[in-house]
Structure formats: structure tokens, C-alpha cells
Amino acid sequence: MSAVPGRAPVLSLDTLVRLRRGLGAPAAPRRLTVPDGMTAPLGCDAVAVPARLGYLVMTRLPRVGCVYADEAHWWWLVPSDSDHALEWPAPAHYATGAIIPDTPQDPALIHRPDGTVPYTPPIPLYLTLCRLTDTPPTWSRPISA
């Protein structure tokens, strides 16, 4: 690294590589886990909504599976491939494999259903999110030629 008076130092490629390595390895992806005593025979994905919508969604569903929450989001476990042919409305986020983004702490389990299956039925969840976000369901949108 060389410095010229009055100018920012110039970093060499070696210095940049060392700095990058010093940041450490990226964190391993984290996944929402199925609680002990429950099974996920259809695999597991998750749907996240901002925390401000969480309670509104929960109270409108006829059946609620496992729900996790952190300060920013509420997460619902759904069967794998529940995004097939659906565009989940924004600001919802569909997480394949129930892999969650890097968060300061793991979301806490705030609802566990009776029985051994952790899923929230995806169609009622989808329709509830569509209604709350004023988004028409995928199948009712006009098709353009």
C-alpha cells in the first residue's frame, strides 16, 4: 500500500484479498426446524410476512400449523412446492426448504398445532395474504394474448 500526501491510500490486490478473507466465511444457511414429535412427510417450505401483518394473517386462517416469529417476520411452515403456479403477493417471501435469511437470532416457535403435522394449508394462507395485500389471486388475473 502506498500513500500520497493528500490522497487516499491505494490498496493492492493482495491487500484486498487479505481483507476479504478476514471477513470470514459466509454463514451457513439456517432452516426452520420441525418441532420434536412432528413429521413433515411432504417436505417443508416457509412463507414469511412482515411482523405487522402476522397477527392479522393468523386470525383469518381456519387452520394454523407451526408459526415462527422474530422482530421482523412471522414464518408459516407449508408443504414443499406450495409456490407451484402461484405468485405469492408482496411483501410475502416464499422460502424454499424453509431456509431463512441471516437474522440476528433464530425465530421462536409461537404456535404449534395439535397433532404431528406442522403445515398451514397453503391455499387459505395464500388467499388470506392476497386479501390483506389487495392482490388478486394468480388464477383470477386477466391473461393477455
Side-chain angles (χ1 to χ4, degrees), residues 14-138:
D14 289 338
T15 303
L16 292 173
V17 169
R18 253 190 325 271
L19 288 171
R20 173 70 180 129
R21 287 183 183 155
L23 293 176
R30 291 187 301 174
R31 164 183 326 260
L32 294 173
T33 58
V34 174
D36 289 339
M38 299 189 101
T39 61
L42 302 175
C44 241
D45 289 345
V47 176
V49 299
R52 64 183 164 75
L53 294 176
Y55 182 76
L56 295 171
V57 172
M58 179 97 92
T59 58
R60 287 170 168 78
L61 292 172
R63 182 186 182 289
V64 178
C66 288
V67 180
Y68 298 80
D70 58 27
E71 290 181 12
H73 296 93
W74 285 31
W75 302 83
W76 278 262
L77 291 184
V78 294
S80 290
D81 300 324
S82 292
D83 62 336
H84 181 74
L86 292 179
E87 292 176 32
W88 288 80
H93 170 73
Y94 191 87
T96 303
I99 295 173
I100 59 174
D102 192 24
T103 55
Q105 62 188 39
D106 287 334
L109 180 65
I110 62 168
H111 182 269
R112 178 185 172 143
D114 294 333
T116 61
V117 179
Y119 307 125
T120 295
I123 297 302
L125 177 59
Y126 174 78
L127 291 172
T128 298
L129 288 170
C130 285
R131 177 167 286 155
L132 288 173
T133 60
D134 200 26
T135 303
T138 302

